[in-house]
Amino acid sequence: MTELDATSKPLSLTYAGVDRAAHHRLDEAWLAAAWSHPTTRVFVVSGGQVLVEDTPDGVELVMTPAFDAPETEQHRYFLGIDDEGVRYFALQKDSLPGRMDEPARPAGLREVGGLLSPLEAGLMVHAVALENWQRMHRFCSRCGERTVIAAAGHIRRCPACGAEHYPRTDPAVIMLVTDDEDRALLGRQVHWPEGRFSTLAGFVEPGESIEQSVRREVFEEAGVTVGAVSYVASQPWPFPSSLMLGFMAQATSADIHVDGEEIHEARWFSRDDLRAAFESGEVLPPYGISIAARLIELWYGKPLPRQGGTPAT
Ligand SMILES: [Zn+2]
């Protein structure tokens, strides 16, 4: 199809380089020792944001040894151990600590996920996903009692009925649909700015295979029927708790009928169409951090231009 290999470089947010070491999560003595170890690194997560510092090469997470981390009774998420044996924790707080003495600034994943090192991006996405889940699952879905955090942030237990609740991940499909002429179908969601086109996407429904989900979503949103579906790659997308499953999909019809609810406009683009639309500014390239950009790039055959002419990273 193209010379570009979908796995030739890691997708943003997907590679942590960290062993999650899940077997330690229930070992309180091990966790306490790891927490106070001098090489341990801790960062604070609050409302999906962390503190970062700008460097000549990008940005870095602001991490401190645990003894220097803000005090807390709980909300410590054990994230894992790297190749050097460094243990990482995130500390969930109501607000980010003020660090007036250093050039640190708050930032969210959408802004810095593609700028952090793969290791730090992986740590941040893990922490943000846990925080999102914790925030929205404070009460037992079985009996309604308030639940408590366990397993270093990875379980919520109900003291009333004994239920254990685990972090959830919601599967979503995202697909680049192509037709017989190898044109790509891109759509603009109703709440997107003029000119922002991207791949179609949607949530997998109960009782559905992911291939069925791809076909249903494309038909619902654009009125196009899809035949062959092939898996490309996945990307955690904790906004708040999705796992994006990326596909290439082959259309078996060409007429477009957008639903008008999710998708405002959809169009078939040849590569020349898309390049011309990027160059004229009629179409804005997708955000570099997202798997959508990778899927489009895979079809396009080379890195997509960015506004101003530089390729997306
Ligand atoms: Zn309960």
Side-chain angles (χ1 to χ4, degrees):
M1 182 172 48
T2 76
E3 328 71 80
L4 267 194
D5 174 3
T7 57
S8 62
K9 58 178 180 176
L11 276 161
S12 298
L13 314 182
T14 52
Y15 173 67
V18 167
D19 175 359
R20 293 183 177 222
H23 56 289
H24 290 309
R25 289 175 190 161
L26 290 168
D27 186 340
E28 292 295 337
W30 187 92
L31 289 169
W35 175 259
S36 58
H37 195 276
T39 64
T40 290
R41 288 292 174 271
V42 180
F43 63 94
V44 177
V45 59
S46 180
Q49 293 202 309
V50 298
L51 289 178
V52 298
E53 279 181 16
D54 295 291
T55 70
D57 301 324
V59 297
E60 284 180 0
L61 278 182
V62 174
M63 292 195 269
T64 63
F67 59 79
D68 199 23
E71 284 187 30
T72 186
E73 295 301 311
Q74 50 172 356
H75 302 276
R76 294 175 187 174
Y77 307 156
F78 172 58
L79 303 177
I81 308 171
D82 73 12
D83 294 342
E84 318 275 284
V86 174
R87 286 90 162 200
Y88 294 94
F89 288 83
L91 195 53
Q92 196 283 324
K93 300 276 288 180
D94 290 338
S95 62
L96 292 172
R99 294 183 64 90
M100 302 301 286
D101 55 323
E102 292 182 28
R105 62 184 173 88
L109 259 184
R110 278 195 168 89
E111 181 197 348
V112 298
L115 303 175
L116 293 166
S117 71
L119 185 145
E120 293 191 351
L123 292 171
M124 183 177 175
V125 76
H126 189 173
V128 169
L130 282 177
E131 186 195 33
N132 286 340
W133 170 69
Q134 300 277 3
R135 192 181 68 243
M136 292 188 290
H137 294 82
R138 285 176 295 173
F139 297 92
C140 179
S141 56
R142 190 190 286 175
C143 76
E145 189 61 53
R146 184 177 284 275
T147 53
V148 295
I149 297 177
H154 294 76
I155 294 178
R156 291 193 77 99
R157 286 210 175 95
C158 176
C161 76
E164 285 191 344
H165 302 281
Y166 291 84
R168 58 178 291 170
T169 295
D170 303 322
V173 290
I174 183 164
M175 45 275 172
L176 194 279
V177 182
T178 54
D179 71 357
D180 291 346
E181 299 167 40
D182 206 20
R183 296 178 302 174
L185 179 64
L186 301 180
R188 179 163 77 81
Q189 291 187 19
V190 289
H191 58 272
W192 284 356
E194 192 76 31
R196 176 74 69 195
F197 280 81
S198 191
T199 51
L200 303 181
F203 285 105
V204 178
E205 292 193 346
E208 202 175 42
S209 73
I210 49 181
E211 292 84 357
Q212 288 171 328
S213 181
V214 168
R215 296 187 182 104
R216 177 184 52 75
E217 284 289 344
V218 173
F219 188 73
E220 281 179 6
E221 295 186 346
V224 170
T225 56
V226 161
V229 169
S230 59
Y231 172 75
V232 176
S234 67
Q235 179 183 46
W237 197 247
F239 306 109
S241 56
S242 300
L243 176 65
M244 305 300 290
L245 305 162
F247 294 87
M248 304 301 274
Q250 183 65 43
T252 54
S253 72
D255 288 347
I256 292 171
H257 303 283
V258 294
D259 64 5
E261 291 179 16
E262 285 184 72
I263 296 295
H264 180 76
E265 183 184 2
R267 286 161 56 184
W268 291 106
F269 290 90
S270 69
R271 291 178 183 79
D272 287 343
D273 293 340
L274 193 62
R275 182 169 52 246
F278 282 156
E279 284 172 3
S280 71
E282 180 193 355
V283 167
L284 306 172
Y287 301 110
I289 186 180
S290 71
I291 190 173
R294 184 64 59 86
L295 292 172
I296 298 170
E297 192 176 80
L298 187 63
W299 160 80
Y300 191 69
K302 56 184 178 182
L304 297 173
R306 264 194 167 166
Q307 274 177 292
T310 49
T313 52

